[in-house]
Amino acid sequence: MAAGLPGLEFLRRMLSGEIPYPPIAELMGMRLVEVEKSRVVWEAVPGEEHYNPIGTVHAGFATTLLDSAMGTAFVSLSEAGKRWTTLELKANFTRSITAETGPVRCTATVVHGGRTVVTTEARLEDRQGRLLAHATSTILVL
């Protein structure tokens, strides 16, 4: 179904529940909450199941949110059947995340929407709007 829909329509149908979330979103407890052309917002709730050995949420939790948000920001601009992959991702972590952090929100936008190379950026914030992490990515359009 996804291959036959323009990206923005696909994401809107996922948001409405008509199309299921991908398995990684289910695994991480991520939910798409806003979709528009070149901008998406995902939310998740970090928990102890995401902890690393030192008692904080593993960086992979934040990185997965950032990467997923940046990728779907690109999808919001893509034509039906367009294939792509993350070519490069750079993340910066500014605060530790724990179960006490509560719900987090990841907002991503497209910075440059080229034909073969797309650049994106994202911010991960807590419910008070404090920056937890930020990232940029380069996407290769196949």
Side-chain angles (χ1 to χ4, degrees):
M1 180 183 240
L5 294 173
L8 187 59
E9 179 64 22
F10 170 75
L11 293 173
R12 286 181 175 155
R13 289 188 187 189
M14 187 185 303
L15 182 64
S16 74
E18 186 178 336
I19 293 176
Y21 283 95
I24 189 67
E26 295 295 337
L27 178 68
M28 301 295 289
M30 299 165 32
R31 290 290 172 259
L32 189 59
V33 294
E34 294 179 30
V35 175
E36 59 187 73
K37 189 175 180 179
S38 82
R39 181 183 176 275
V40 299
V41 179
W42 287 81
E43 288 184 345
V45 179
E48 290 183 7
E49 67 274 16
H50 302 118
Y51 275 20
N52 58 30
I54 63 170
T56 61
V57 171
H58 192 281
F61 174 83
T63 305
T64 299
L65 277 166
L66 292 161
D67 185 42
S68 297
M70 291 184 291
T72 51
F74 162 71
V75 168
S76 74
L77 296 177
S78 68
E79 302 167 359
K82 189 64 69 174
R83 293 175 17 124
W84 60 278
T85 190
T86 301
L87 187 61
E88 180 268 340
L89 181 139
K90 166 70 169 94
N92 295 282
F93 307 99
T94 58
R95 290 181 184 269
S96 64
I97 302 171
T98 67
E100 289 74 38
T101 301
V104 296
R105 178 174 272 234
C106 189
T107 303
T109 57
V110 173
V111 176
H112 170 74
R115 287 180 308 153
T116 57
V117 174
V118 175
T119 57
T120 60
E121 61 188 9
R123 294 176 58 89
L124 182 64
E125 299 174 335
D126 67 11
R127 63 182 153 217
Q128 287 79 35
R130 292 180 296 211
L131 185 65
L132 304 170
H134 57 99
T136 58
S137 77
T138 303
I139 293 171
L140 177 64
V141 182
L142 305 173

